[in-house]
Amino acid sequence: MNRYDSFLSAAARVMQESAIRRMGAVLGKGPEVISFAPGYPDPSTFPWEHFRATAADLLSGTDGSVLQYGPTRGFKPLLGAIVEILESRGITAATDELLVTTGSQQGLDLVARVLIDPGDVVLVELPSYVGALSAFNNVQASLVGVRQEADGIDLDHLDEVVGRLRAEGRRARILYVVPNFQNPTGLLIGTDKRTRLLEWAERNDFLIVEDDPYRDLYFDAVSEPDIRPIKADDRNGRVVYMSSFSKTLAPGFRVAWIVAPGPLAAKFELAKQAEDLCTGGFDQRMVYEAYRRGWLTRQIPMLRRHYQQKRDVMAAALDRELGDLISYAQPRGGFFLWATLPEHVSADTMLDAALRHGVVYVAGSAFFVDGSGHNTLRLCFSAPTPERIEEGVSRLAATIREAAEKPRAAAASPGRY
Ligand SMILES: Cc1ncc(COP(=O)(O)O)c(C=O)c1O
């Protein structure tokens, strides 16, 4: 196999497998393993009946365009629907600022290709979404982390990091954030901080890449102002915003979108042309019909209740089984609960034992670009049933107790992304 190394591009040589995708392979080992690893929506929430009826209509054969190539920017009526959705989030977008993407993952790839040269510094949260880290890594970005606090990114540390980079003469002009129920921590960036971030971007000549797939999935007393996109107050074109239908409808359609100042959107369109010509036309129409017929909007309150209940089940089980050993902040929305283990326990080395106990998670170190986070882990509560969550937490508790009792010297060194 090694003989192909000489054929690889410099970019391909540094590509790395995502820790979450790797866990997906572990999942394939059988139903006896309870997985808290990938951030999958619960398929029982998919509106199957509606999908069947809409698919039958679309595939009646009367409209050839359903299975035809389409515009790179996206299916026009869907673009119109997205403009309305954005309006409801406080964002006014012109159609020349908008592009349908094949998942937000493609949006991240477009950002990487269009905005980043090899060696450019991209600032990311500590910890940050691994899919974004992969996209940026693939174009040979240099990833630099900024700490988070209870209300999201630490602005003092952000200034400190930028000051240091300037002093070193390094080019840094992009900050990537997930402000609502962040993957992996579940954190929300505070409202005041959002305003200050925007001011910071203007002062420092930065673009903010705002990735917002979870905002509709809030629990408890979260209200609209708490999840207002940074983009909503962006008067000077400092924010590239992306969101997705993956978490509210179904990720299998691979339909998402990106909003950016016109000149950047035009470049994203060119980059997308070379990636896939256009996002699948059938998929876009399915999503559009879900919006037009009203069932996308109707299903969101159900999703909030559904995932909040699962969050409650996981939190109660963790408190009961592991209250003395782990700490975590109660996520107020989204799919993820972020837990911290005792300092001497490594979530990386504990993974084998977890598998033996029949449970799997994503070790937190995968989300840190600075090699830290060895004693953290991400638990996703969205996909398993409440019964499986209870059982999975019991298995996790047995694993963690075993690991915590081992002599400290046995704990391994931190893993790296
Ligand atoms: C923060 C974040 N961004 C982007 C994505 C990718 O979403 P999509 O299915 O739209 O590609 C995910 C998926 O888990 C995510 O958590």
Side-chain angles (χ1 to χ4, degrees):
M1 281 303 147
N2 269 345
R3 51 201 173 96
Y4 289 101
D5 286 355
S6 63
F7 289 94
L8 294 179
S9 66
R13 263 180 245 134
V14 298
M15 285 176 186
Q16 295 175 21
E17 189 188 17
S18 139
I20 296 174
R21 295 270 116 193
R22 193 159 57 240
M23 284 300 124
V26 170
L27 250 187
K29 289 192 174 164
E32 65 281 1
V33 175
I34 295 175
S35 179
F36 296 139
Y40 288 0
D42 183 341
S44 76
T45 66
F46 297 163
W48 294 102
E49 282 297 327
H50 289 303
F51 286 152
R52 263 195 294 279
T54 308
D57 291 348
L58 289 173
L59 297 177
S60 66
T62 51
D63 179 0
S65 74
V66 170
L67 295 179
Q68 195 49 278
Y69 292 113
T72 302
R73 287 267 179 166
F75 176 52
K76 268 241 167 66
L78 178 62
L79 289 167
I82 293 170
V83 166
E84 288 177 11
I85 291 170
L86 285 167
E87 222 28 88
S88 75
R89 298 180 184 187
I91 299 172
T92 306
T95 40
D96 71 337
E97 297 176 318
L98 189 58
L99 202 76
V100 170
T101 56
T102 302
S104 277
Q105 193 58 42
Q106 183 180 53
L108 292 166
D109 189 63
L110 296 175
V111 162
R113 283 174 197 281
V114 167
L115 300 177
I116 303 169
D117 280 324
D120 280 356
V121 173
V122 176
L123 301 184
V124 297
E125 294 158 310
L126 286 173
S128 185
Y129 168 54
V130 282
L133 302 183
S134 298
F136 302 150
N137 193 53
N138 281 358
V139 294
Q140 300 173 272
S142 167
L143 300 173
V144 175
V146 182
R147 284 196 293 270
Q148 294 194 77
E149 334 176 87
D151 63 345
I153 192 162
D154 177 339
L155 297 180
D156 292 333
H157 192 228
L158 182 59
D159 277 335
E160 195 183 307
V161 168
V162 170
R164 197 184 66 226
L165 290 166
R166 290 245 161 86
E168 291 167 2
R170 296 170 74 192
R171 179 178 131 123
R173 289 193 308 184
I174 292 176
L175 168 69
Y176 168 73
V177 289
V178 182
N180 293 320
F181 320 116
Q182 195 229 20
N183 180 358
T185 59
L187 290 176
L188 263 180
I189 296 185
T191 12
D192 175 50
K193 234 178 208 183
R194 293 176 193 229
T195 315
R196 285 161 61 204
L197 257 184
L198 198 49
E199 290 162 3
W200 171 89
E202 292 185 11
R203 220 173 32 249
N204 289 284
D205 193 19
F206 259 72
L207 284 178
I208 295 174
V209 176
E210 180 179 24
D211 186 5
D212 195 17
Y214 299 103
R215 55 103 59 201
D216 283 328
L217 304 178
Y218 57 80
F219 316 143
D220 308 325
V222 171
S223 61
E224 281 297 323
D226 297 322
I227 53 171
R228 182 175 170 84
I230 301 170
K231 180 75 180 163
D233 298 302
D234 177 25
R235 304 280 163 263
N236 299 314
R238 286 282 162 192
V239 182
V240 173
Y241 178 86
M242 57 184 83
S243 190
S244 174
F245 294 102
S246 285
K247 315 296 179 186
T248 47
L249 206 53
F253 292 120
R254 312 303 303 128
V255 178
W257 72 90
I258 188 164
V259 187
L264 293 184
K267 288 289 182 193
F268 292 147
E269 180 180 4
L270 295 182
K272 182 175 163 66
Q273 277 173 9
E275 289 192 3
D276 62 1
L277 300 178
C278 61
T279 296
F282 174 72
D283 290 17
Q284 292 188 71
R285 282 164 177 80
M286 287 291 286
V287 170
Y288 171 65
E289 288 301 324
Y291 178 78
R292 189 181 70 82
R293 300 180 190 198
W295 35 274
L296 170 59
T297 316
R298 281 199 295 278
Q299 103 140 6
I300 290 174
M302 177 277 287
L303 293 176
R304 285 186 196 128
R305 286 192 302 275
H306 187 81
Y307 292 124
Q308 176 166 344
Q309 191 217 346
K310 290 190 177 195
R311 190 272 321 255
D312 289 345
V313 170
M314 181 174 270
L318 287 172
D319 291 347
R320 194 176 57 241
E321 305 252 1
L322 281 163
D324 57 326
L325 268 182
I326 65 161
S327 59
Y328 69 91
Q330 182 94 316
R332 298 170 70 200
F335 284 180
F336 308 108
L337 192 146
W338 180 250
T340 304
L341 303 168
E343 181 58 35
H344 70 286
V345 178
S346 159
D348 298 280
T349 38
M350 198 177 71
L351 207 44
D352 284 340
L355 270 170
R356 274 200 309 280
H357 282 279
V359 65
V360 66
Y361 54 82
V362 182
S365 59
F367 304 92
F368 285 86
V369 295
D370 66 349
S372 63
H374 73 280
N375 63 331
T376 57
L377 46 96
R378 190 193 76 173
L379 300 172
C380 181
F381 51 80
S382 54
T385 60
E387 297 69 36
R388 302 264 293 172
I389 293 176
E390 299 256 8
E391 174 58 27
V393 170
S394 289
R395 295 178 187 183
L396 186 67
T399 314
I400 294 176
R401 291 208 176 279
E402 216 172 81
E405 278 158 20
K406 279 198 186 135
R408 277 158 200 263
S413 60
R416 272 201 62 85
Y417 167 70

